[in-house]
Amino acid sequence: DAGVIQSPRHEVTEMGQEVTLRCKPISGHDYLFWYRQTMMRGLELLIYFNNNVPIDDSGMPEDRFSAKMPNASFSTLKIQPSEPRDSAVYFCASSPGQGGGYTFGSGTRLTVV
Amino acid sequence: QKEVEQNSGPLSVPEGAIASLNCTYSDRVSQSFFWYRQYSGKSPELIMSIYSNGDKEDGRFTAQLNKASQYVSLLIRDSQPSDSATYLCAVKDFNKFYFGSGTKLNVKP
């Protein structure tokens, strides 16, 4: 299995631009999670899906952030408009469900200038 | 919101020594506990899980859980320079993981 695949690996964008991060979970994993990691705040859960349905988006910082999972093999996290404080590493992770841990993707390092 | 506390370190140990990493959590209901290792610039990778009080061993790693004290630890025996990384403690609540801020471990040759 190729693991959780994220793209792009790095993204540099100007403030105000739209940013879209992509994730392909491990086949057969029913749960997909989006996390953000910064030095100041560590790993923060933004949103998670179960069987393509958003279950908990309480971690999404504000309306500028949105996430979708149109099918079991693809999810996006969109930031519009982006701001410098959104600069972070964004991780996608998937899990087969009850019990067990997550498998993380390689992450997307986002820099908003 | 669950609180997961770790000493940020860095924890420095000489090669071959035992490294002891500690974590406390706020919620007595939590049932599942995990340790992740994160190398600089890389993603977290799962190294241990523990669900019951006591010790769980896997190679050079031992996880210890004390639910009454709300405490979980990770021991690394015969530490190697390649163990130098940040170790994240995670507590699972239903399907959500709450992560500590991590302890940075330096193993000196």
Side-chain angles (χ1 to χ4, degrees):
Chain A
D1 198 321
V4 178
I5 300 172
Q6 291 187 247
S7 65
R9 290 296 305 275
H10 303 275
E11 177 80 36
V12 180
T13 190
E14 292 185 348
M15 182 174 62
Q17 297 298 306
E18 177 180 298
V19 176
T20 299
L21 311 180
R22 297 173 175 80
C23 175
K24 175 180 169 58
I26 292 173
S27 178
H29 282 194
D30 295 333
Y31 289 83
L32 183 140
F33 306 83
W34 283 100
Y35 277 83
R36 176 172 70 176
Q37 187 174 40
T38 61
M39 288 293 292
M40 290 296 296
R41 301 175 67 90
L43 270 168
E44 301 175 278
L45 177 64
L46 300 177
I47 185 171
Y48 82 92
F49 296 82
N50 177 214
N51 291 324
N52 314 337
V53 176
I55 302 300
D56 187 342
D57 65 356
S58 59
M60 296 286 261
E62 47 197 276
D63 291 346
R64 297 185 297 107
F65 286 68
S66 62
K68 295 182 180 180
M69 192 166 185
N71 57 64
S73 60
F74 184 66
S75 177
T76 60
L77 178 67
K78 184 177 294 186
I79 308 172
Q80 166 64 21
S82 57
E83 297 182 3
R85 60 193 169 120
D86 301 330
S87 297
V89 180
Y90 290 80
F91 287 107
C92 175
S94 69
S95 167
Q98 297 300 324
Y102 299 167
T103 300
F104 282 85
S106 299
T108 294
R109 182 174 296 276
L110 173 65
T111 303
V112 183
V113 298
Chain B
Q1 179 73 18
K2 298 184 188 299
E3 297 292 331
V4 182
E5 299 289 339
Q6 294 182 259
N7 187 320
S8 62
L11 173 66
S12 292
V13 300
E15 184 175 355
I18 296 175
S20 178
L21 306 164
N22 305 314
C23 172
T24 59
Y25 58 94
S26 62
D27 190 343
R28 289 187 173 274
V29 180
S30 298
Q31 295 295 318
S32 305
F33 307 87
F34 301 81
W35 283 98
Y36 281 80
R37 177 176 62 199
Q38 186 174 24
Y39 292 112
S40 180
K42 301 295 185 182
S43 59
E45 57 178 325
L46 179 65
I47 54 173
M48 289 285 289
S49 60
I50 187 166
Y51 307 99
S52 304
N53 280 328
D55 295 359
K56 179 181 177 182
E57 187 174 317
D58 184 0
R60 295 186 297 113
F61 298 96
T62 299
Q64 299 175 318
L65 175 61
N66 183 326
K67 291 185 179 180
S69 300
Q70 296 175 228
Y71 177 91
V72 58
S73 65
L74 179 69
L75 301 178
I76 306 175
R77 291 181 300 281
D78 188 23
S79 296
Q80 301 296 310
S82 59
D83 295 326
S84 298
T86 296
Y87 289 80
L88 301 166
C89 173
V91 175
K92 191 173 185 180
D93 174 30
F94 294 101
N95 295 299
K96 294 168 64 171
F97 275 52
Y98 296 89
F99 287 87
S101 57
T103 298
K104 187 171 183 178
L105 173 66
N106 290 329
V107 181
K108 298 183 176 181

